[in-house]
Every structure is written in structure tokens, then in C-alpha cells.
Amino acid sequence: MNFITIEGIEGVGKTTAMKFAESFFQTHKKDFILTREPGGTAIAEQIRQILLTPETTVEAITANTELLLMFAARAQHIQYVIKPALQTGKWVISDRYVDASFAYQGGGRGISENTIAFLEEWIVADILPVATIILDAPAEIGLARAKNRSAHDRIEQEKVDFFVRVREAYLMHARKNPHRYYIIDATKPLESVEQALIQVFTKVVLK
């Protein structure tokens, strides 16, 4: 399946990696689309706004609501963006996908893996990436980098221990499924990260 996802906690350079992926695929004349989660479609982007807007009322979004909204946006994304692109032979490169739910709502929020796996089987089914790149850095480093960005969204406002759990969930899944995951040390200089990305893209795309 011509599907690659890029994952990681805040501040690890996913946006930069997505731009580099765009350059790589253009250079090698591959038909592709770039997309993101939550988002990717008009309705999914509206759900994204609900999920990421800092809470200003007494009614907080519960962990279960967050998880269900993520999968609601993902259902739209798969139906209207990912599936159509894959069916026409395009490569799909997504900034986050279902691994983010296992990491953020699972590791971060403490929702059971079985619950998330049930939703994965229902909504995602066999639309799974051939490769998942995890840009990895300690939570303290990622959050320090993220501080230099614009105002933090609702999830970015979480404490460091939340992102420690998110990171560990990512790494745990990578250890369980080494055939699909590629861990790249995001603490290294940009040139080193780009070389690591080239190695993954070359292995997966130009095989």
C-alpha cells in the first residue's frame, strides 16, 4: 500500500519532515498527496478545531470524547482523501494517523489499547501504512522546541509527563512491530534527520 505516516510528539519536526517528503517525492516524480490528522477534509478540519481549541468553559472534553472525535475525523479522512488517492495509485503521506490515537489517547490519556483497537478495526480496517516514521526525542526537548511556536493548542498545553507517556507508547508500538516502524533520532542535526528520511523513503518508495 502506497501509504506512509509520520508520527511523534510535539516539537520533533514533523512539519519539516513533511516538507522534505514533498521535495523527495517531487524529485523522484512520484504522484502523491500530503495530508494530516486530525483533518484532511472539510468536516475533519472542523472536528480538528473542536479538538485543539483551548477550553474556555467549565465543560472539558473528556478522554473518551477526544478519542471518538479523533476517529470521527479519521473516518472522513479515510473515506474522502486516503482511499481515493490510494485507489488511483498515488502515494499518501500523512502527518499523524491511527498510531497517534494509541499514543495520545492510549498512552497519554490512559484509554485501554483494546478500546482503541476496536475502533481501529471498525474505522481503519486494512487501510494501514506500509511505513510509519517516528521522529523521536525526549519530551523535555520536544516541548522546549515547541515553546518557540505560536500559542499552544489544547493538547500542547498538557504537562511534560503526558508527553513522556505518549512517547513511550510510540516506542512500545515500534518495538512490537519493527517491520513497519522506522525510528529517527530527532535530536540530531537537520542534515542527519534528512539523511535518515532519505534512507527510509528510498527503501520504501524506490524499492
Side-chain angles (χ1 to χ4, degrees):
M1 189 170 288
N2 294 352
F3 189 13
I4 296 172
T5 55
I6 298 178
E7 299 275 359
I9 64 169
E10 272 60 33
V12 294
K14 288 187 296 84
T15 300
T16 301
M18 289 290 287
K19 291 177 181 176
F20 186 76
E22 180 178 25
S23 175
F24 181 93
F25 278 76
Q26 287 174 341
T27 298
H28 292 279
K29 296 179 170 54
K30 297 293 182 180
D31 200 4
F32 71 98
I33 64 166
L34 300 179
T35 188
R36 70 175 182 177
E37 287 203 351
T41 77
I43 290 176
E45 289 291 337
Q46 291 179 48
I47 296 173
R48 179 187 180 90
Q49 288 303 310
I50 295 172
L51 283 163
L52 299 186
T53 299
E55 290 153 351
T56 57
T57 69
V58 292
E59 183 182 12
I61 295 176
T62 71
N64 286 337
T65 299
E66 181 179 282
L67 175 67
L68 291 170
L69 285 172
M70 288 289 186
F71 271 94
R74 185 164 296 130
Q76 294 294 116
H77 192 209
I78 291 170
Q79 181 66 29
Y80 292 105
V81 175
I82 297 174
K83 271 187 179 179
L86 293 175
Q87 287 168 353
T88 60
K90 292 181 181 178
W91 280 90
V92 175
I93 305 99
S94 183
D95 179 347
R96 298 199 192 285
Y97 191 53
V98 70
D99 287 293
S101 288
F102 283 102
Y104 279 79
Q105 286 75 56
R109 302 293 187 208
I111 296 176
S112 77
E113 289 238 338
N114 288 341
T115 298
I116 302 170
F118 167 77
L119 292 171
E120 179 187 36
E121 183 177 356
W122 176 25
I123 301 300
V124 176
D126 61 347
I127 308 299
L128 291 169
V130 67
T132 294
I133 297 168
I134 297 176
L135 297 172
D136 180 54
E140 294 82 358
I141 292 177
L143 293 181
R145 291 176 176 176
K147 281 184 180 179
N148 298 322
R149 302 194 307 224
S150 56
H152 289 183
D153 63 39
R154 187 180 66 87
I155 293 177
E156 289 172 340
Q157 291 177 349
E158 291 290 341
K159 305 291 187 189
V160 65
D161 60 336
F162 173 85
F163 295 102
V164 169
R165 296 193 301 273
V166 171
R167 180 196 182 202
E168 182 50 42
Y170 272 130
L171 296 177
M172 180 185 69
H173 274 258
R175 289 192 293 268
K176 288 181 178 179
N177 304 281
H179 64 285
R180 175 162 73 87
Y181 293 88
Y182 298 85
I183 300 174
I184 294 177
D185 186 348
T187 67
K188 291 185 176 180
L190 180 59
E191 294 78 10
S192 297
V193 174
E194 289 180 346
Q195 285 301 312
L197 288 169
I198 287 174
Q199 290 179 7
V200 176
F201 293 148
T202 299
K203 177 180 178 180
V204 175
V205 180
L206 304 182
K207 58 185 178 182

